[in-house]
Structures are given as C-alpha cells and as structure tokens.
Amino acid sequence: MTSPENVDETYAHLGEMIEQVGALQREALAITASALSHDRLVEVWVNATGVVIKIEIDPEAHAEVGARGLAAAITETTQEAAAIAQREVAVKTAEIREVTGISNIASELANVPGLADLTSSVTASIADPAAEERVRPRHDRGAW
C-alpha cells in the first residue's frame, strides 16, 4: 500500500514535471528562425511551425534576378528557415521527452516488431506542387 508521504512525493514530482514541460513548450513555441538567400537578396523569418512571419527583399532583387529567380530565392530561403526552426523545435521536443520519460517508452516501443516505424520521424516533401511525386492520376484524387 502506498503511504501518504509517497503520494505527496509523487504529486510534487508530477507538479515539477508539468512546470518543466510547460516551460519547454513555451520556449519551443517562441522559436523563430531566419535564413538569408545565397545571393543575400532575400531574408525570411518563420515561427516554430515554419509559418512565414516576415520577409525582407532587397529593392534591387527583381532587377538582378527577375521574377522567377526571386520566387526561387524566396522559396529556398523559406525552406531553409523552416528547417532551422524544425531542428530547434526538435531539440526542445527531445528535452520534453526526456523530462516526461517518453524517450524511454519510445526506446522500448522501437524494439516491438511493427512499431518501430511509428517512433521514427516523417519528413514532408518540399517538392514543387507540380512535381512528379505530387502528381496523382485523376482517379486517385476522389471527388472534388
């Protein structure tokens, strides 16, 4: 049987863990990242989820690289900024997993046949919307 002292210790530990996780979540959500294009004509900032929150474009960019070049620079720079943010969020997520003990559970699940794929991360494509990997036959799209 659990004594009242042990219960109090458990709740105190849970309270500390909840506070730590809350602080780490707030830190993760506050992350912003920026990237500068290779030609230094575009700078993009994103939030923790990779959503663009600011773009700065050199006033001469359009004249130097044209519309397509500028569009490519914005796309590449945005993707780079989002990747930086994802890495920073992953660090905070790993800290949360450590504090909560989830990392230990994930390690155990990785040893269970069929569950290993569930514990690995998945990366979304950054291919162009018209890229072959995104194009599906009309019958696979369902009713629109």
Side-chain angles (χ1 to χ4, degrees):
M1 182 167 195
T2 304
S3 69
E5 296 82 26
N6 290 342
V7 171
D8 288 344
E9 285 179 28
T10 300
Y11 284 126
H13 173 71
L14 286 175
E16 291 170 11
M17 183 174 56
I18 290 168
E19 285 180 28
Q20 284 182 297
V21 169
L24 290 168
Q25 285 176 330
R26 286 187 296 280
E27 290 173 22
L29 290 172
I31 288 172
T32 61
S34 68
L36 187 62
S37 64
H38 299 292
D39 55 15
R40 307 182 65 77
L41 296 174
V42 175
E43 188 166 11
V44 178
W45 286 262
V46 299
N47 68 12
T49 62
V51 172
V52 175
I53 56 174
K54 182 178 180 181
I55 297 176
E56 286 189 3
I57 300 171
D58 185 290
E60 301 301 316
H62 192 273
E64 288 188 37
V65 296
R68 285 197 173 111
L70 184 55
I74 292 169
T75 301
E76 291 169 13
T77 307
T78 299
Q79 291 170 349
E80 185 179 337
I84 293 166
Q86 287 174 346
R87 287 191 297 272
E88 291 181 22
V89 169
V91 168
K92 290 297 174 194
T93 301
E95 290 178 39
I96 290 170
R97 292 169 64 92
E98 200 61 40
V99 166
T100 60
I102 291 174
S103 57
N104 297 333
I105 295 168
S107 296
E108 293 297 320
L109 289 177
N111 296 323
V112 177
L115 291 181
D117 293 341
L118 297 176
T119 60
S120 62
S121 63
V122 178
T123 304
S125 172
I126 57 171
D128 184 90
E132 183 65 31
E133 71 184 64
R134 294 193 183 275
V135 178
R136 295 183 295 175
R138 192 64 129 162
H139 67 275
D140 285 351
R141 294 185 184 174
W144 292 35

